[in-house]
Amino acid sequence: MYCDEDIEFDEALEPRDPKEFVIADLTTSLKTISFDIWRDYDKDELRTMKSLMEEGKLQEDHAAQLLFMYFFPKFHRMLAHLLSAKHHKKADIAEWYIYWKSRIPEVLLTRIDVKDQLLTALRSMHTFLLNSKKKPAPRPIPSKREVPVPTPDLRRMSIAKWIEILAAQHDIAFAPIAGKRFESHQLYRIGDEKVYFLDKVVYMYDGSAKKYSPTSPSTLINRCL
């Protein structure tokens, strides 16, 4: 025996408009659409949209809204990924773009807002092609900062001892060259340079002039760094 509540319950169980279910399925498929360049192209989510529009079950504005909410955001993200990935060829990316543009229902392609989305994608591709043709600007060689070297009191130590201290402070190899002398003066190796000491002066070998010339401790240390 039915009561009023039973009647209300039965009415609530009446099937909804099938169109609502179809559009809900379309929305779900657009949310999960795969833009992978190697995707299964037999699966065509936008074909469903086109069919619904042709059958009058999906209005143009509603279809465009679905594209803006679920299709184009993922479309642009995937395009950016493809352009940044070095293993994708330009021809493959162009083919990918043409494919997805061709899947959009033609009536939507006439809309200004849809055209703007596609133009944005084309600009991204154009900018990428221009940048890929430009040769990277050479990096400027940073100027070498000269290390300040204090002036010692050579009345209390020899110039050789002072150079030895400076070399240790700056982690520069310094040692006498065994069995090597110049005009009876012991030769030393400091870094890649050869030097000898006379009185309070450092003499460094000049490879281009092929002779020893006087130099300052500051010049010597900075040359070895």
Side-chain angles (χ1 to χ4, degrees):
M1 185 173 183
Y2 284 101
C3 64
D4 292 340
E5 291 181 357
D6 293 327
I7 294 173
E8 291 177 2
F9 183 74
D10 287 343
E11 289 175 349
L13 291 177
E14 289 182 3
R16 292 160 56 192
D17 185 347
K19 181 174 68 174
E20 295 181 17
F21 290 102
V22 175
I23 294 177
D25 289 342
L26 171 63
T27 302
T28 301
S29 66
L30 289 176
K31 286 181 180 179
T32 58
I33 193 170
S34 170
F35 286 97
D36 195 298
I37 203 165
W38 294 294
R39 61 166 266 149
D40 178 10
Y41 285 100
D42 290 334
K43 184 180 179 182
D44 192 345
E45 296 86 346
L46 295 182
R47 184 184 300 162
T48 304
M49 174 180 283
K50 182 178 180 181
S51 299
L52 290 173
M53 294 181 69
E54 290 174 347
E55 295 168 9
K57 296 178 180 178
L58 181 64
Q59 298 300 314
E60 179 184 320
D61 287 342
H62 191 180
Q65 184 181 11
L66 290 174
L67 289 183
F68 296 134
M69 290 178 64
Y70 306 116
F71 177 84
F72 281 120
K74 294 179 70 175
F75 173 82
H76 289 301
R77 285 197 298 270
M78 188 62 186
L79 177 59
H81 168 72
L82 294 176
L83 292 175
S84 63
K86 295 181 180 179
H87 57 277
H88 290 304
K89 297 179 180 178
K90 298 181 183 70
D92 292 336
I93 299 174
E95 185 178 344
W96 176 89
Y97 168 84
I98 292 170
Y99 168 82
W100 283 110
K101 180 184 176 183
S102 70
R103 309 322 294 167
I104 298 174
E106 291 182 8
V107 66
L108 295 179
L109 290 174
T110 62
R111 293 174 61 104
I112 298 297
D113 46 7
V114 173
K115 286 182 178 179
D116 285 344
Q117 294 291 325
L118 295 173
L119 281 174
T120 298
L122 285 174
R123 290 191 192 101
S124 298
M125 296 166 67
H126 181 66
T127 301
F128 170 78
L129 290 174
L130 287 179
N131 291 338
S132 63
K133 291 179 181 178
K134 291 180 180 178
K135 293 182 179 179
R139 291 185 177 181
I141 300 174
S143 57
K144 189 176 179 180
R145 183 180 177 184
E146 187 169 320
V147 175
V149 175
T151 302
D153 184 357
L154 294 179
R155 293 174 300 178
R156 298 179 178 274
M157 71 174 73
S158 67
I159 185 66
K161 185 63 178 177
W162 176 236
I163 295 299
E164 181 182 359
I165 292 172
L166 291 174
Q169 288 177 349
H170 296 284
D171 198 24
I172 302 171
F174 175 77
I177 304 174
K180 295 291 184 179
R181 305 181 76 84
F182 178 78
E183 294 181 352
S184 74
H185 302 294
Q186 173 66 51
L187 290 178
Y188 293 81
R189 176 78 66 183
I190 175 169
D192 294 328
E193 307 299 332
K194 287 191 297 184
V195 298
Y196 73 87
F197 308 104
L198 178 60
D199 296 330
K200 299 177 182 179
V201 180
V202 183
Y203 289 83
M204 181 173 64
Y205 184 71
D206 184 347
S208 58
K210 296 184 178 180
K211 67 176 184 178
Y212 286 90
S213 301
T215 188
S216 67
S218 176
T219 300
L220 175 62
I221 294 300
N222 279 281
R223 188 180 177 93
C224 294
L225 291 175

